[in-house]
Amino acid sequence: MDTVFLDANVLFSAAYRGDSGIRRLWELSGVELVTSVYAVEEARRNLVGTKQLADLDELLRKVRIVAATPDDRPLPDSVELPTKDRPILLTSIDLKASHLLTGDFKHFGNYYGQTIEGLQILTPAAYLKVRR
């Protein structure tokens, strides 16, 4: 079974548009979706409509939500991330997730397709393609 950590932008995209292809993640078998309180709060801050917030709450019913790892711990060697993204990577690693799904190309793009401490970093589209 894959343990898939969802970054805030994945949660945002799934809640923002009801017809988003990202929502296929919620239909996969053999996958545990996980995120952190930190990521949920970021997604909530960026959603404006009550329908979108309600959709996020509905999606989160099928996601395990964990506390975030503090960002003061060192990152793995050769990884550089802004402070705001450190809890996402560190929490994913601490959970021993198999995958981190993020659409944050600016900060995580250099790591797409790489495996860092057992965690493979992919876009949601790349993960869905592999799962077909």
Side-chain angles (χ1 to χ4, degrees):
M1 174 181 281
D2 286 345
T3 301
V4 177
F5 190 94
L6 305 176
D7 194 359
N9 56 60
V10 175
L11 297 171
F12 172 89
S13 295
Y16 187 77
R17 282 188 33 226
D19 61 349
S20 171
I22 289 175
R23 286 190 177 212
R24 288 183 290 157
L25 292 168
W26 277 258
E27 300 167 6
L28 296 174
S29 60
V31 174
E32 178 187 24
L33 300 178
V34 184
T35 195
S36 66
V37 172
Y38 180 83
V40 170
E41 288 172 357
E42 183 179 338
R44 277 191 204 289
R45 276 193 310 273
N46 291 298
L47 290 168
V48 293
T50 54
K51 168 87 169 92
Q52 295 169 344
L53 289 167
D55 284 354
L56 177 63
D57 288 339
E58 183 65 31
L59 291 166
L60 289 173
R61 290 183 184 170
K62 296 180 181 176
V63 178
R64 181 165 56 111
I65 302 171
V66 300
T69 298
D71 63 0
D72 59 354
R73 206 175 85 213
L75 291 171
D77 291 341
S78 76
V79 175
E80 294 181 24
L81 288 172
T83 302
K84 75 171 195 69
D85 292 313
R86 294 169 60 97
I88 298 298
L89 180 65
L90 292 171
T91 304
S92 301
I93 291 170
D94 285 354
L95 284 171
K96 298 188 180 349
S98 56
H99 298 84
L100 165 60
L101 302 189
T102 180
D104 185 350
F105 181 80
K106 181 177 179 182
H107 299 126
F108 284 97
N110 290 336
Y111 308 110
Y112 284 161
Q114 292 186 31
T115 300
I116 300 169
E117 295 193 20
L119 175 74
Q120 187 175 33
I121 301 172
L122 296 171
T123 63
Y127 181 77
L128 286 166
K129 185 175 180 180
V130 168
R131 289 290 306 207
R132 283 189 190 140

